Amino acid sequence: MKRFRRHGTESQRDRLKQELFQFTKTVEHGFPHQPSALGYSSSLQLMAIGTRSGAIKLYGAPGVEFMGLHDENAAVTQVFFMPHQVELVTLLDDNSLHMWTLRSHKGLSELLEIGRFLLTGPPGAPPSVTRVTSVLTHSSGELLLLGTEGGHVFIVEVPGFRELEEMNISLDQITSCVPDDYVGRRNLEHVEALQENPINSNQVAIGYGRGLMVIWDLNHRCAIRHIPATQQLESMWWTENGSCILSSHSDGSYCCWTLRTGDKKEEEEKSNIPYGHFPCKAINKIVQLPTAGGPPFLLFSGGMPRASYGDRHCITVIYSKTQVAFDFTSRIIDFFVIRDGPHHTGEPSALVVLVEEELVVIDLQTEGWPVIQTPYLVPLHSSAITCSYHVSAIPLKLWERIIAAGVVQNTQYSKKLWPITGGQNLAPDPPQRDLLLTGHEDGTVRFWDASGVCLYPLYKLSTAAVFNADADLNDNMSQSAEGEWPPFRKVGCFDPYSDDPRLGIQKIHLCKYSGYLTVAGTAGQILMLELNDEAAEQTVEAKVVDLLQGQEGFRWKGHTQLDVREEPVLFPPGFQPFTVVQCQPPAVVTALNLHSEWKLVAFGTSHGFGVYDYLQKNTVLVKCTLNPSDQLAMEGPLSRVKSIKKSLRQSFRRIRRSRVSLRKHHISNTNKIQEANARLEAELAEMELAPVQRKIEARSSDDSFTGLVRILCFADTFLSDSSHNTPSLWAGTNGGTVFAYILYIPPVEHRADEALTAQPAKEIQLMHRAPVVGIVVLDGHGAPLPEPLETAHDLARSPDLLGSHHVLVISEEQFKVFTLPKLSSKMKLKLTAVDGSRVRRVGVAWFGSSRTEDYGESGLVFLTNQGDVHVLSLPHIKMQIRYPCIRREDVSGIASCVFTKQGQGFYLMSPSEFERFSLSTRYLVEPRCLVEAPLPPVFSNQHQPKLEGASSALRCTQDTEDPESAARRVMEHALLNDEKVLQEIQKSLEGDQTAFPENNVKSAVA
Amino acid sequence: MSRQSQQQHRTPIRHIDNTVEVKSKFEAEYRRFGLKRNGFGGFQEFYHLLQNIHHIHGVEVLLEYADIHGDLLPINNDENFHKAVSSANPVLRIIITKKEGDSVVYTTNSLQRRRKGLGLTGLRPAGSGSIHSKNKSGLMIGPPQDFRQISSIIDVDILPESYRRVRLHKYGSKKPLGFYIRDGVSVRVTPQGVEKVPGVFISRLVRGGLAESTGLLAVNDEILEVNGIDLTGKSLDQVTDMMVANSHNLIVTVKPANQRNNVAPRGSKNSMGHSGSVGSGGSIGSALSHDSPSPASQSNPITASSSIAEGDSYEEDDDGDVILENDCLSPNKYYPVTNSNSSTLNRDSPHKGQHSAIPQSVSMPNSLGTSLSHSSTMMSHHNGGSTHSVSSSQESMKEDGNVITL
């Protein structure tokens, strides 16, 4: 009937397509790849992270996040929020400065770049003169001070980036007044640090690399004081009361300089090398914060004894008698401290540390300084992700049980609420509960709440306990012994070093109705797990399945199988393994499926596949698919040499194309291969670029890995005749073969004792021999069969068992529908033959219309090796839409893609980040948030209450305005509306004026 | 679908008694009869027998049979008749056609293509009737009937003369296509002037391969299309995948590096001489020298041509998937199976230990050379140890919707 459609219905279909499909990249989950800068606005309560690829990401309260990308492909080296404004300034590796703002639009904020600036020196000056090394955002909100490599300080008015040449502080001005006795006066080196006097915004301290610090009066344009430190300067901190300057130095020392009024001479109160005696590394950053009526908090990064602990990444926190050296998992990028109080000027409450691979937040107010669990920016890659699996619409019961199991695991975290609270999350509550499961190289499976914008960790399952692993599973090795110096404490969870690569998780399947989970790994192990709310001690039964079925002439050269522990093991509440099937030879499991209603698990490797009955603990079927001449598959896992060659070729291609690409991705998991690749790459790059050649040859049965099982699928359908439906198993191989087996499953009352059987029923050899990547059985209505137990739980209508069923076989090259049970070819769609792309990932999704609530249809979603996502209609396999999604060079991104049942998808855009996208018009999970402009600075306490009142009156109107200077907006609003408010504000502003008698920077600027 | 009823004839054939089942077709009529495997004479005898059976005395006919690869081969002498009889497995399918001037090209899948009413483009009677009417003399002009075609130049009359469209017929034979492709730079003439664009070129021909043996492709030929699809903007990997996906019936349009051997379309002898005199310096030089009368068609010569409209002729049906029905045969060696729920066809067969008695049916929609040998190995696989059953039971043809039936 479809064949004779009229034109009118075609345009109708086009309209329907628009209602059903829409491609958007919605949100990035996980931790930014290669972060390079950290900024924080205490007034906005927002944190900004810049990355080496030029991305800038803002985070506030959970769900509040913004993302921006610089056009330049340069690393973000520094990020600063303009004080008390919604603007922020980024400094890039290429010396350009960028101004960003959060602009409100239709009640939501968006991050926009509003200006850029490149510092230009006098003609003929060397580039170092204008190379920016440090930035100070002046508290007036109108000035930027830029310290440069040449030692000059340039002053720029913002927004608009107007250079104020007359205010510039040249190196000559400084050197002319440096005391003669200062040793380093001939070469002060670059400007290392710029600090503003917290109580007098007219004074700034300029710290030079050589050690000299100069306090400069912006108003009178002269140096007030000199602090003659002689060690290489690393950082500078002006204490809050303005009386002291702390300087940290490259020899691991810090000094406190008291600024006595009236006295011209500065006094070096004490020079302190906290981890002294032996040479120490530099203290990169030092912060001192007062507490009410107590000793101050002192925090600094680095300063470790060079010889013994030079490789540690530490931040030391000293408060009163307590000193802890937090030992991080990777290089420290930057840190800041969040303070309590309405204006965030009170007690230090939390230390936020950005390290290269994760974000760690430490609660400074709870005894023992525990870590606060982060609701976002969680390192997905704490062990490398090896596979991912998505389950939509989790029943509430299971959801609660998983959360409960996770809570037990997270007792070490602080109870304190997440301290970064900026912005409002306006996104509606997610319509359902979704789980994303990630398998990792270390044998763990992590459960993430993927329902909303924040990918939140719920529960972590470790499979290593089932096996006798070589390594000690005890994590407490790092616990510091009493009296150890420095007082280390390990924090963070990034741990890329896998004890045993064989533990790596390759395939996951979870039944959301029964709570059964099966995971399969690198060494041919398949674990069956059941959710249990209590801890249990049990022996895991092991079953070895020989997939070779007596094939001769075989010598496995890969890894050995894992050694299952024979004694009972105590498993914590959560998913507890009860059976492990071990494939022999122990090749990586390439396909896995679970049918919880029939209590069967199907698994496949490069040698064959099998079905295991986990009720009777018995193998139902074993089938060898190995081609006897296939040496590569026989000898072991894709041998190192081959994979290096392959990845070399890929990386080689990547080099040639990466000029236009923005982000670099590394695919190999282990450092070893990466190193080897880098070496070979370098060697190859030296050689002449030989032309790349491709062989044109039809696939043959003699190709390697034709027997590798790519897909396994259970279906209750018509395999033997068209009147009786029977349980069946379908398997597809790399060589384009589909095997179909009829399963005999005894009635429920005899299920436990009667034997199950499987008999071969059909076999399809696709002529084009391309790998089979998907098999979907469609019912009489052309709808995909429901999941096991789905109809039993009344969550899906039962499949139509009267009409004729079809099976859709998806190979990398084409889609083909066969009738059942006769298996005559009914429809097909060629992909590769037409446009040269091949199917990589495939899924079935349901698309709801955006216009009418009650219309929806199933579609086949797939991703090609060109990185495009397509949707095909079911059951007619007609192309609906196509969107470019992933760069085609991003092989690992394409391989990691998973589709959800609602037409969304996830892929790894870097080893640590999932990009979430949506093809559906109805289901969208994207950040929707609003950040309001903060109030003008308030320093004197007596005006505070009045301003609070004014602000609450104003808050509602700010939503739709463009953010400008906050003070001006308040004024305008007041003028237009309320005389009383105006007076209050006037008063408060006057108060500010009086607090800053010298605050006439503005006039100097003008 | 009209053949549905024949499904029921799926009975195991035993040819222990050395009879060959013959199924012959003349126009719309079928005849089935037995033939002694060695007790029969020569071609003439068989010819008359068929005339008798079909009651077509005095009509001059051509005999053809379907060989194991599904190709139509002629029977016109004793030798190929004996070959036909000996290769029958078990059914010898004969097609009888009235002898006409129209010659028949024997090629891969020719059976199917004929059924669909699609011949090779250049030989389609409807499309090129004028040419054939000239040939309707007693002298047969056309490909020799005892050979298979492995390649052809097609669409000569619609392509610009500097291009060549080559069709490679990949058989089930082991002979590889045997060529490699590479990236390169091509020079195109556009209305705006000369433009350098990335292109894909043949980089190597494998000795003894199909590509080399045709002599129609050469190193440095630029590949412009694969099976009617323009390659502009496609990467080398995409082109590779497209060619592999089409490898069973590969049609490539090339701009030969050597332009001296171009086939000129009829009536354009002048331009042929022109290009022949200049076009010797590889693809770049030839492209520049080739200034065809209309620059518009030059800018996009391929898609402008009418041949794409008849894309069907390129869309060779490759529904060559082999479907094996292991109806109730070979229960898993390790786990005994009861056959109670198996196919209705064999409901009456005894349950256990009767492997050899149960027939296994094979449907071969478009049997390739490998398919049979492949399937038989697969079946011996299924049968576990009981290989002796294979020879007796494998050979009943299932007549399916997309299966060759005669």
Side-chain angles (χ1 to χ4, degrees), chain A residues 436-481:
Chain A
L436 183 69
L437 277 65
T438 53
H440 297 262
E441 203 182 21
D442 62 354
T444 57
V445 178
R446 279 157 221 254
F447 290 62
W448 307 87
D449 175 0
S451 328
V453 173
C454 291
L455 193 67
Y456 188 78
L458 295 179
Y459 166 72
K460 176 178 139 184
L461 161 73
S462 175
T463 61
V466 179
F467 305 102
N468 283 319
D470 302 331
D472 186 11
L473 294 168
N474 203 348
D475 269 341
N476 300 335
M477 297 184 300
S478 53
Q479 286 297 353
S480 59

Short mmCIF file of all heavy atoms in Angstrom, two decimals, chain A residues 436-481:
data_model
loop_
_atom_site.label_atom_id
_atom_site.label_comp_id
_atom_site.label_asym_id
_atom_site.label_seq_id
_atom_site.Cartn_x
_atom_site.Cartn_y
_atom_site.Cartn_z
N LEU A 436 22.46 4.85 33.17
CA LEU A 436 23.55 4.57 32.24
C LEU A 436 24.56 3.73 33.00
O LEU A 436 24.97 4.10 34.10
CB LEU A 436 24.19 5.88 31.76
CG LEU A 436 25.30 5.73 30.72
CD1 LEU A 436 24.73 5.26 29.40
CD2 LEU A 436 26.03 7.04 30.51
N LEU A 437 24.90 2.59 32.44
CA LEU A 437 25.88 1.72 33.07
C LEU A 437 27.16 1.80 32.26
O LEU A 437 27.13 1.67 31.03
CB LEU A 437 25.38 0.27 33.09
CG LEU A 437 24.43 -0.14 34.21
CD1 LEU A 437 23.12 0.60 34.11
CD2 LEU A 437 24.17 -1.63 34.16
N THR A 438 28.27 2.02 32.95
CA THR A 438 29.54 2.02 32.23
C THR A 438 30.40 0.88 32.77
O THR A 438 30.52 0.71 33.99
CB THR A 438 30.29 3.35 32.40
OG1 THR A 438 30.40 3.66 33.79
CG2 THR A 438 29.57 4.48 31.70
N GLY A 439 30.98 0.12 31.86
CA GLY A 439 31.92 -0.93 32.24
C GLY A 439 33.32 -0.35 32.15
O GLY A 439 33.60 0.46 31.27
N HIS A 440 34.16 -0.78 33.06
CA HIS A 440 35.50 -0.19 33.13
C HIS A 440 36.57 -1.26 33.03
O HIS A 440 36.33 -2.44 33.23
CB HIS A 440 35.64 0.61 34.42
CG HIS A 440 34.71 1.77 34.49
ND1 HIS A 440 35.08 3.04 34.18
CD2 HIS A 440 33.39 1.83 34.78
CE1 HIS A 440 34.03 3.85 34.30
NE2 HIS A 440 33.00 3.14 34.67
N GLU A 441 37.76 -0.75 32.78
CA GLU A 441 38.89 -1.63 32.57
C GLU A 441 39.25 -2.42 33.83
O GLU A 441 39.78 -3.52 33.76
CB GLU A 441 40.09 -0.79 32.12
CG GLU A 441 41.12 -1.58 31.37
CD GLU A 441 42.31 -0.70 31.01
OE1 GLU A 441 42.51 0.34 31.64
OE2 GLU A 441 43.04 -1.09 30.08
N ASP A 442 38.97 -1.86 34.99
CA ASP A 442 39.34 -2.53 36.22
C ASP A 442 38.27 -3.53 36.68
O ASP A 442 38.34 -4.03 37.80
CB ASP A 442 39.62 -1.50 37.32
CG ASP A 442 38.38 -0.67 37.66
OD1 ASP A 442 37.37 -0.83 36.97
OD2 ASP A 442 38.45 0.12 38.61
N GLY A 443 37.30 -3.81 35.85
CA GLY A 443 36.30 -4.81 36.21
C GLY A 443 35.14 -4.25 37.00
O GLY A 443 34.35 -5.02 37.54
N THR A 444 35.00 -2.94 37.06
CA THR A 444 33.86 -2.37 37.76
C THR A 444 32.79 -1.97 36.76
O THR A 444 33.07 -1.73 35.58
CB THR A 444 34.25 -1.12 38.57
OG1 THR A 444 34.84 -0.17 37.70
CG2 THR A 444 35.22 -1.47 39.68
N VAL A 445 31.56 -1.92 37.26
CA VAL A 445 30.44 -1.39 36.50
C VAL A 445 29.87 -0.26 37.33
O VAL A 445 29.58 -0.45 38.51
CB VAL A 445 29.36 -2.46 36.25
CG1 VAL A 445 28.18 -1.86 35.49
CG2 VAL A 445 29.93 -3.63 35.48
N ARG A 446 29.78 0.92 36.74
CA ARG A 446 29.23 2.05 37.48
C ARG A 446 27.84 2.37 36.96
O ARG A 446 27.59 2.35 35.76
CB ARG A 446 30.15 3.27 37.32
CG ARG A 446 31.34 3.18 38.27
CD ARG A 446 32.50 4.00 37.77
NE ARG A 446 33.74 3.27 37.99
CZ ARG A 446 34.63 3.58 38.94
NH1 ARG A 446 34.42 4.59 39.72
NH2 ARG A 446 35.71 2.85 39.08
N PHE A 447 26.97 2.65 37.91
CA PHE A 447 25.58 2.98 37.61
C PHE A 447 25.42 4.49 37.76
O PHE A 447 25.71 5.04 38.82
CB PHE A 447 24.64 2.27 38.59
CG PHE A 447 24.57 0.78 38.41
CD1 PHE A 447 25.70 -0.02 38.57
CD2 PHE A 447 23.37 0.16 38.09
CE1 PHE A 447 25.62 -1.40 38.40
CE2 PHE A 447 23.30 -1.21 37.92
CZ PHE A 447 24.42 -1.98 38.08
N TRP A 448 24.96 5.13 36.70
CA TRP A 448 24.78 6.58 36.72
C TRP A 448 23.32 6.92 36.53
O TRP A 448 22.64 6.30 35.72
CB TRP A 448 25.59 7.23 35.59
CG TRP A 448 27.03 6.87 35.55
CD1 TRP A 448 27.57 5.78 34.92
CD2 TRP A 448 28.12 7.55 36.17
NE1 TRP A 448 28.92 5.76 35.12
CE2 TRP A 448 29.30 6.84 35.88
CE3 TRP A 448 28.21 8.71 36.93
CZ2 TRP A 448 30.55 7.24 36.32
CZ3 TRP A 448 29.45 9.11 37.37
CH2 TRP A 448 30.61 8.37 37.06
N ASP A 449 22.90 7.93 37.27
CA ASP A 449 21.57 8.49 37.05
C ASP A 449 21.65 9.37 35.81
O ASP A 449 22.22 10.46 35.85
CB ASP A 449 21.15 9.30 38.28
CG ASP A 449 19.82 10.00 38.07
OD1 ASP A 449 19.24 9.86 36.98
OD2 ASP A 449 19.38 10.69 39.01
N ALA A 450 21.11 8.90 34.71
CA ALA A 450 21.19 9.64 33.46
C ALA A 450 19.86 10.30 33.13
O ALA A 450 19.59 10.63 32.00
CB ALA A 450 21.61 8.70 32.32
N SER A 451 19.01 10.48 34.14
CA SER A 451 17.69 11.05 33.85
C SER A 451 17.78 12.54 33.52
O SER A 451 17.00 13.03 32.72
CB SER A 451 16.77 10.89 35.06
OG SER A 451 17.06 9.73 35.77
N GLY A 452 18.69 13.22 34.15
CA GLY A 452 18.72 14.67 33.99
C GLY A 452 20.05 15.17 33.47
O GLY A 452 20.84 14.43 32.88
N VAL A 453 20.26 16.46 33.70
CA VAL A 453 21.45 17.13 33.17
C VAL A 453 22.72 16.66 33.87
O VAL A 453 23.78 16.58 33.27
CB VAL A 453 21.26 18.65 33.31
CG1 VAL A 453 22.53 19.40 32.95
CG2 VAL A 453 20.12 19.12 32.44
N CYS A 454 22.59 16.34 35.16
CA CYS A 454 23.76 15.89 35.91
C CYS A 454 23.84 14.37 35.83
O CYS A 454 22.90 13.68 36.20
CB CYS A 454 23.66 16.29 37.37
SG CYS A 454 23.81 18.04 37.59
N LEU A 455 24.95 13.89 35.37
CA LEU A 455 25.17 12.45 35.36
C LEU A 455 25.70 12.11 36.75
O LEU A 455 26.85 12.36 37.06
CB LEU A 455 26.17 12.09 34.27
CG LEU A 455 26.27 10.62 33.92
CD1 LEU A 455 24.99 10.14 33.29
CD2 LEU A 455 27.43 10.39 32.97
N TYR A 456 24.82 11.57 37.59
CA TYR A 456 25.15 11.42 39.00
C TYR A 456 25.46 9.96 39.31
O TYR A 456 24.69 9.07 38.94
CB TYR A 456 23.97 11.92 39.84
CG TYR A 456 24.27 12.00 41.30
CD1 TYR A 456 25.02 13.06 41.81
CD2 TYR A 456 23.83 11.01 42.18
CE1 TYR A 456 25.32 13.12 43.15
CE2 TYR A 456 24.13 11.07 43.53
CZ TYR A 456 24.88 12.13 44.01
OH TYR A 456 25.19 12.20 45.33
N PRO A 457 26.58 9.70 39.99
CA PRO A 457 26.92 8.31 40.30
C PRO A 457 26.00 7.74 41.38
O PRO A 457 25.79 8.37 42.41
CB PRO A 457 28.36 8.39 40.79
CG PRO A 457 28.53 9.79 41.27
CD PRO A 457 27.61 10.65 40.47
N LEU A 458 25.44 6.56 41.10
CA LEU A 458 24.52 5.96 42.06
C LEU A 458 25.16 4.80 42.81
O LEU A 458 25.00 4.65 44.01
CB LEU A 458 23.27 5.43 41.35
CG LEU A 458 22.36 6.45 40.68
CD1 LEU A 458 21.21 5.74 40.00
CD2 LEU A 458 21.84 7.44 41.70
N TYR A 459 25.88 3.98 42.07
CA TYR A 459 26.31 2.73 42.66
C TYR A 459 27.46 2.20 41.82
O TYR A 459 27.52 2.42 40.62
CB TYR A 459 25.13 1.75 42.66
CG TYR A 459 25.47 0.29 42.92
CD1 TYR A 459 25.85 -0.11 44.20
CD2 TYR A 459 25.40 -0.65 41.91
CE1 TYR A 459 26.16 -1.45 44.45
CE2 TYR A 459 25.70 -1.98 42.15
CZ TYR A 459 26.09 -2.38 43.42
OH TYR A 459 26.40 -3.69 43.66
N LYS A 460 28.37 1.52 42.48
CA LYS A 460 29.52 0.95 41.78
C LYS A 460 29.62 -0.53 42.11
O LYS A 460 29.59 -0.91 43.28
CB LYS A 460 30.79 1.69 42.23
CG LYS A 460 32.08 1.14 41.65
CD LYS A 460 33.25 1.98 42.12
CE LYS A 460 34.44 1.12 42.47
NZ LYS A 460 35.53 1.93 43.02
N LEU A 461 29.69 -1.33 41.07
CA LEU A 461 29.79 -2.78 41.26
C LEU A 461 31.19 -3.22 40.85
O LEU A 461 31.67 -2.84 39.78
CB LEU A 461 28.75 -3.47 40.36
CG LEU A 461 28.95 -4.94 40.05
CD1 LEU A 461 28.62 -5.77 41.27
CD2 LEU A 461 28.09 -5.36 38.87
N SER A 462 31.82 -4.00 41.70
CA SER A 462 33.14 -4.51 41.34
C SER A 462 33.06 -6.02 41.15
O SER A 462 32.50 -6.74 41.98
CB SER A 462 34.14 -4.19 42.44
OG SER A 462 35.37 -4.79 42.12
N THR A 463 33.59 -6.48 40.03
CA THR A 463 33.55 -7.92 39.77
C THR A 463 34.85 -8.59 40.16
O THR A 463 34.96 -9.81 40.08
CB THR A 463 33.28 -8.19 38.27
OG1 THR A 463 34.36 -7.64 37.52
CG2 THR A 463 31.99 -7.57 37.82
N ALA A 464 35.83 -7.83 40.57
CA ALA A 464 37.15 -8.40 40.84
C ALA A 464 37.11 -9.39 42.00
O ALA A 464 37.91 -10.33 42.05
CB ALA A 464 38.14 -7.27 41.12
N ALA A 465 36.18 -9.18 42.93
CA ALA A 465 36.15 -10.03 44.12
C ALA A 465 35.86 -11.49 43.79
O ALA A 465 36.16 -12.39 44.58
CB ALA A 465 35.10 -9.50 45.09
N VAL A 466 35.27 -11.73 42.62
CA VAL A 466 34.93 -13.11 42.24
C VAL A 466 36.20 -13.90 41.90
O VAL A 466 36.23 -15.12 42.00
CB VAL A 466 33.97 -13.08 41.03
CG1 VAL A 466 33.60 -14.47 40.58
CG2 VAL A 466 32.74 -12.26 41.37
N PHE A 467 37.23 -13.18 41.50
CA PHE A 467 38.42 -13.86 40.98
C PHE A 467 39.61 -13.69 41.92
O PHE A 467 39.67 -12.74 42.70
CB PHE A 467 38.76 -13.29 39.60
CG PHE A 467 37.62 -13.36 38.64
CD1 PHE A 467 36.86 -12.24 38.36
CD2 PHE A 467 37.27 -14.57 38.04
CE1 PHE A 467 35.79 -12.31 37.48
CE2 PHE A 467 36.20 -14.64 37.16
CZ PHE A 467 35.46 -13.51 36.89
N ASN A 468 40.53 -14.61 41.81
CA ASN A 468 41.78 -14.49 42.54
C ASN A 468 42.69 -13.55 41.75
O ASN A 468 43.44 -13.98 40.89
CB ASN A 468 42.47 -15.86 42.64
CG ASN A 468 41.82 -16.71 43.70
OD1 ASN A 468 41.47 -16.23 44.77
ND2 ASN A 468 41.64 -17.99 43.39
N ALA A 469 42.57 -12.28 42.04
CA ALA A 469 43.42 -11.34 41.33
C ALA A 469 44.75 -11.24 42.06
O ALA A 469 44.84 -11.49 43.26
CB ALA A 469 42.74 -9.98 41.26
N ASP A 470 45.76 -10.89 41.31
CA ASP A 470 47.09 -10.80 41.91
C ASP A 470 47.19 -9.67 42.91
O ASP A 470 47.81 -9.77 43.95
CB ASP A 470 48.14 -10.57 40.80
CG ASP A 470 48.08 -11.67 39.78
OD1 ASP A 470 47.71 -12.80 40.17
OD2 ASP A 470 48.40 -11.42 38.61
N ALA A 471 46.54 -8.57 42.55
CA ALA A 471 46.75 -7.37 43.36
C ALA A 471 45.92 -7.42 44.63
O ALA A 471 44.92 -8.13 44.73
CB ALA A 471 46.38 -6.15 42.56
N ASP A 472 46.38 -6.69 45.60
CA ASP A 472 45.66 -6.55 46.85
C ASP A 472 44.44 -5.68 46.60
O ASP A 472 44.54 -4.59 46.06
CB ASP A 472 46.59 -5.90 47.87
CG ASP A 472 45.95 -5.86 49.24
OD1 ASP A 472 44.91 -6.52 49.40
OD2 ASP A 472 46.49 -5.18 50.11
N LEU A 473 43.29 -6.17 46.97
CA LEU A 473 42.08 -5.40 46.70
C LEU A 473 41.86 -4.32 47.74
O LEU A 473 40.97 -3.50 47.62
CB LEU A 473 40.87 -6.34 46.70
CG LEU A 473 40.88 -7.35 45.56
CD1 LEU A 473 39.84 -8.40 45.78
CD2 LEU A 473 40.65 -6.62 44.25
N ASN A 474 42.67 -4.35 48.75
CA ASN A 474 42.47 -3.41 49.84
C ASN A 474 42.84 -2.00 49.41
O ASN A 474 43.96 -1.73 49.02
CB ASN A 474 43.34 -3.84 51.02
CG ASN A 474 42.80 -3.30 52.31
OD1 ASN A 474 41.93 -2.43 52.29
ND2 ASN A 474 43.30 -3.81 53.41
N ASP A 475 41.90 -1.11 49.54
CA ASP A 475 42.15 0.26 49.12
C ASP A 475 42.82 1.08 50.20
O ASP A 475 43.18 2.22 49.98
CB ASP A 475 40.82 0.93 48.73
CG ASP A 475 40.54 0.74 47.26
OD1 ASP A 475 41.51 0.45 46.52
OD2 ASP A 475 39.38 0.88 46.86
N ASN A 476 42.94 0.51 51.36
CA ASN A 476 43.36 1.33 52.50
C ASN A 476 44.87 1.44 52.63
O ASN A 476 45.37 1.92 53.64
CB ASN A 476 42.78 0.77 53.79
CG ASN A 476 41.28 0.77 53.74
OD1 ASN A 476 40.69 1.56 53.01
ND2 ASN A 476 40.65 -0.14 54.46
N MET A 477 45.58 1.00 51.63
CA MET A 477 47.04 1.09 51.69
C MET A 477 47.50 2.52 51.91
O MET A 477 48.51 2.77 52.52
CB MET A 477 47.64 0.61 50.37
CG MET A 477 47.35 -0.82 50.07
SD MET A 477 48.20 -1.32 48.57
CE MET A 477 47.51 -0.20 47.37
N SER A 478 46.70 3.42 51.37
CA SER A 478 47.16 4.80 51.37
C SER A 478 46.95 5.47 52.73
O SER A 478 47.41 6.59 52.92
CB SER A 478 46.40 5.57 50.30
OG SER A 478 45.02 5.38 50.53
N GLN A 479 46.23 4.82 53.60
CA GLN A 479 46.01 5.45 54.91
C GLN A 479 47.34 5.76 55.55
O GLN A 479 48.22 4.91 55.68
CB GLN A 479 45.20 4.50 55.82
CG GLN A 479 43.74 4.40 55.46
CD GLN A 479 42.98 5.71 55.61
OE1 GLN A 479 43.54 6.69 56.10
NE2 GLN A 479 41.76 5.74 55.14
N SER A 480 47.47 7.00 55.96
CA SER A 480 48.76 7.42 56.47
C SER A 480 48.98 6.85 57.86
O SER A 480 48.07 6.72 58.67
CB SER A 480 48.81 8.94 56.52
OG SER A 480 47.76 9.40 57.36
N ALA A 481 50.19 6.49 58.08
CA ALA A 481 50.54 6.00 59.41
C ALA A 481 50.61 7.19 60.36
O ALA A 481 50.79 8.33 59.95
CB ALA A 481 51.89 5.29 59.35
#
